[in-house]
Structure formats: C-alpha cells, structure tokens
Amino acid sequence: MRDAGLDVEDPDDESVRTGTYPAPDGGDGQAFTRQAQECSEQVGVERADAAQQQQWERQYAKVADCIRDRGFDDLPEQQPGVLDFNDYPRADEPGFADAASACLAEFAPDTQAVDR
C-alpha cells in the first residue's frame, strides 16, 4: 500500500485477525479500496466465493434492520454485503456500539466489529 503512495500504518493485531483494515482518515476511500484489492491479489489473498458473499448480504441486511429497530432508524442503506458506519454521525452516540454488537452477534455471529 505504501509502495502505491498511500500513507497507511501497520495493521494492529485485531485488523490482522479479522482481515479488515479501515481506510485512513481524510483519504480517498475508493482509491484505498481499489489499491487494497490489487495488493490482496498480489500477495495471494483469496476472495470469498459467491455463496459466502450472498450469505454476508443477507446477514448484513438483517444487522442493519436490527440496528434501525433498536432506535437508529436513520441508519443509511448499506451496500450489499457491507456494513460501514464510518460516515454515520450517530455511530458515536451512546448505545450505538452496543446495538451494533448485539445485532452482529444475533444475525452475523462470525463477523467481528472493528473499532472506528
């Protein structure tokens, strides 16, 4: 990622364990995502198959609905198979993290939340 000109820090243990790495603050999120995909291919990281992606889409749609049902009814629609609360202003409100964690545990138990 650094060779591609992106100013990124080394991933912490949690990022390595979960296989997630959030885009740096203030950067171009789409450029980061594209470069992350290219780097993943270069180092041999295998993408999830179609069945796994469809499972995530169903699970994450239920998680988003659950969060809305728990008082965050203005949570924006999520991209299929993705949960991204980075641009959701209420994500810092008391109770949001608990709601998100409870909904993940109920509907997507194999997914780990990543702190913002």
Side-chain angles (χ1 to χ4, degrees), residues 3-100:
D3 289 346
L6 295 173
D7 184 22
V8 296
E9 302 208 9
D10 290 338
D12 58 19
D13 291 342
E14 182 70 10
S15 295
V16 172
R17 188 179 67 71
T18 62
T20 60
Y21 190 85
D25 291 334
D28 180 346
Q30 291 179 342
F32 176 85
T33 299
R34 281 191 306 274
Q35 190 58 48
Q37 289 172 344
E38 287 181 31
C39 290
S40 293
E41 290 172 11
Q42 289 175 6
V43 298
V45 174
E46 294 184 25
R47 295 184 53 108
D49 63 20
Q52 182 65 59
Q53 290 176 4
Q54 290 171 357
Q55 179 180 351
W56 289 334
E57 287 178 19
R58 290 188 302 272
Q59 288 177 332
Y60 294 170
K62 290 178 183 178
V63 170
D65 287 342
C66 174
I67 293 170
R68 289 184 194 102
D69 290 345
R70 289 175 177 255
F72 297 91
D73 56 343
D74 61 342
L75 178 71
E77 288 297 318
Q78 302 291 299
Q79 293 180 18
V82 175
L83 289 170
D84 182 0
F85 310 130
N86 288 323
D87 293 328
Y88 181 51
R90 295 185 63 198
D92 292 327
E93 287 184 17
F96 181 81
D98 290 339

